[in-house]
Amino acid sequence: EEAKGDTVDKFVFDEVAFFDPRNTTASHFYFVEPDEQRGINCRFGMRGIVAENHYDLSRNMIAILGGERRYIIAHPAQCSKMGLYPAQHPSGRHSSFDWSNPSDWDVHPEFRTAEVNEVVLHASDVLYLPTSWFHYISNLSLNYQCNIRSGIGHENADAIRDCGFNPKDKPKDVSEEQ
């Protein structure tokens, strides 16, 4: 069985050497910190399902393999306008209201002035999200995507810290990804 695993790994890593965490020279292109890499995660999405706004604690590279996904993204400097739960709340790092419901915006009027960007990803598109960038995801069709994370960038730590979060602290009882 070990030989079979080596054969599969060899085939995959021969084709995409920069994904091989054992090859530190080639893998640094995507894996800035190969030891921090936790593998490739793939997900399916059904039309209409959303992942509420949040930020992740590491770099994130997302590839859409089929279907369409809409991302609304914002720089960490917009943190004070995101209506986040308090830092130690179980859903810390997440907005406390439904972005898709404009009547909820009245609770967080600062959100109306947030500077965001929108991108619709289709099959074969790749999106890089630096550490601490906000993202709200809406599935526009049946889709599947794979993502990989590698290390923590510290270029946005001050913006997150100014918003009351410690970039090194994870909220209690919250998983890394929705």
Side-chain angles (χ1 to χ4, degrees):
E1 186 169 303
E2 185 175 291
K4 181 180 179 185
D6 288 343
T7 302
V8 171
D9 289 350
K10 183 173 179 1
F11 169 75
V12 171
F13 294 139
D14 282 350
E15 295 299 316
V16 286
F18 49 81
F19 279 133
D20 186 349
R22 300 167 296 186
N23 180 347
T24 58
T25 302
S27 66
H28 277 219
F29 180 70
Y30 286 106
F31 299 133
V32 178
E33 297 174 30
D35 293 341
E36 297 296 317
Q37 189 273 126
R38 294 187 309 260
I40 296 172
N41 299 296
C42 297
R43 295 178 181 82
F44 291 92
M46 300 296 296
R47 183 173 192 237
I49 302 298
V50 302
E52 296 295 342
N53 179 57
H54 65 284
Y55 72 88
D56 294 323
L57 301 170
S58 60
R59 297 174 181 101
N60 198 351
M61 185 81 69
I62 304 152
I64 304 299
L65 304 175
E68 298 176 310
R69 281 183 154 206
R70 174 183 180 223
Y71 281 76
I72 299 175
I73 61 176
H75 188 279
Q78 298 298 304
C79 187
S80 65
K81 300 176 182 180
M82 297 288 113
L84 299 177
Y85 286 105
Q88 293 307 314
H89 187 278
S91 291
R93 299 187 296 111
H94 294 74
S95 286
S96 62
F97 67 104
D98 181 359
W99 281 22
S100 66
N101 184 356
S103 66
D104 281 0
W105 298 4
D106 294 338
V107 178
H108 296 281
E110 68 279 8
F111 177 68
R112 293 183 187 275
T113 63
E115 296 177 13
V116 301
N117 294 290
E118 175 184 23
V119 61
V120 175
L121 299 179
H122 304 271
S124 78
D125 289 340
V126 176
L127 174 66
Y128 170 69
L129 285 174
T131 301
S132 301
W133 271 65
F134 293 97
H135 50 291
Y136 172 93
I137 308 163
S138 178
N139 295 307
L140 301 179
S141 66
L142 174 66
N143 64 78
Y144 47 105
Q145 62 95 28
C146 293
N147 73 299
I148 189 156
R149 298 191 186 175
S150 175
I152 299 170
H154 300 283
E155 64 275 8
N156 299 309
D158 288 342
I160 294 299
R161 204 172 284 112
D162 289 348
C163 204
F165 290 83
N166 182 342
K168 294 181 180 181
D169 291 344
K170 293 182 185 179
K172 297 175 184 173
D173 302 317
V174 174
S175 66
E176 276 265 311
E177 174 66 29
Q178 282 199 17

